[in-house]
Amino acid sequence: MHYNDDYGSFASFVSNLDAYTLIKDYLKNLWVVILAGITAVIIVMTIPFTVYHPSYVSSATLIVAANAAHGINYAVYTNNATDMANILKDEYLLLEIAEEMGVEKLNVKVEAETISNTNLISLRVTADKPTTAFRVCKGLLEHYFEISDLMMPGFYLYPLVNPAYPEEMSNRYEVIQLAKKAGFITLLG
């Protein structure tokens, strides 16, 4: 009853608060605020690393060529480059490479795309281990002819840039960005 008589409402209670008392209480319990902040930072900073999965990319640039017996124009080369890119993504090739590597299935992502208006193919293999990415990329170049000779006789792939062994994670920047965002959100909260 005394509360209602002196202040009347919650709004008048808040307006009558003493700043000195608030600061004194805050400083008295500052250790709780700091401990809660440190706990929040630790939790938020570990989330990106528990969700994060490293990935490595091995890439190569290939040129589609025909043997000299074919009188082929430029349009045929670019169309065949698209067909060759599709052959490189074929599941059969991945099964052959998996068998060669002694595993049942490969957990990789294969991207093979023609470079616009050319007879060049950009090949990228993404895997969770650098050795896997490199071996699959190299294996695709060694085994593509098993399908291409049947579908497109007389056309060949030649590496313009050989497959490279990935020396660092391809998504390293992503985890750094996640950690920065998590830290920023913690500071706001």
Side-chain angles (χ1 to χ4, degrees):
M1 187 138 273
H2 182 69
Y3 170 78
N4 288 333
D5 292 342
D6 289 345
Y7 298 109
S9 70
F10 182 73
S12 64
F13 168 74
V14 171
S15 66
N16 289 327
L17 283 176
D18 182 19
Y20 173 76
T21 306
L22 286 175
I23 293 171
K24 185 176 108 180
D25 287 343
Y26 179 77
L27 291 175
K28 180 180 174 184
N29 296 311
L30 184 61
W31 69 273
V32 176
V33 174
I34 291 171
L35 188 60
I38 290 171
T39 304
V41 167
I42 290 171
I43 290 170
V44 171
M45 294 298 281
T46 57
I47 289 172
F49 294 102
T50 57
V51 176
Y52 171 72
H53 299 285
S55 66
Y56 297 87
V57 175
S58 181
S59 60
T61 304
L62 313 166
I63 188 166
V64 176
N67 64 19
H70 290 83
I72 305 222
N73 65 24
Y74 178 74
V76 173
Y77 272 120
T78 56
N79 288 339
N80 284 327
T82 303
D83 293 340
M84 283 284 200
N86 289 332
I87 289 171
L88 287 168
K89 295 186 279 188
D90 191 85
E91 190 67 29
Y92 171 78
L93 288 177
L94 291 177
L95 291 173
E96 285 288 317
I97 296 166
E99 185 178 309
E100 188 176 277
M101 291 173 66
V103 295
E104 191 172 313
K105 187 177 183 208
L106 292 168
N107 187 21
V108 297
K109 178 181 175 187
V110 177
E111 299 171 73
E113 299 173 354
T114 56
I115 298 173
S116 184
N117 297 322
T118 68
N119 60 331
L120 299 176
I121 297 173
S122 172
L123 175 64
R124 293 173 44 93
V125 177
T126 305
D128 58 352
K129 295 179 183 169
T131 306
T132 304
F134 178 70
R135 288 181 67 190
V136 170
C137 191
K138 195 172 175 185
L140 287 170
L141 297 181
E142 292 170 357
H143 291 283
Y144 84 94
F145 65 86
E146 294 172 13
I147 296 175
S148 68
D149 281 354
L150 298 172
M151 295 177 63
M152 299 168 39
F155 287 92
Y156 305 98
L157 283 179
Y158 295 103
L160 195 58
V161 177
N162 284 316
Y165 188 87
E167 295 185 14
E168 62 181 38
M169 292 179 287
S170 61
N171 61 347
R172 186 176 138 206
Y173 181 73
E174 292 173 18
V175 78
I176 292 170
Q177 288 301 98
L178 279 171
K180 284 181 181 178
K181 287 177 185 176
F184 182 70
I185 291 169
T186 302
L187 288 175
L188 290 177

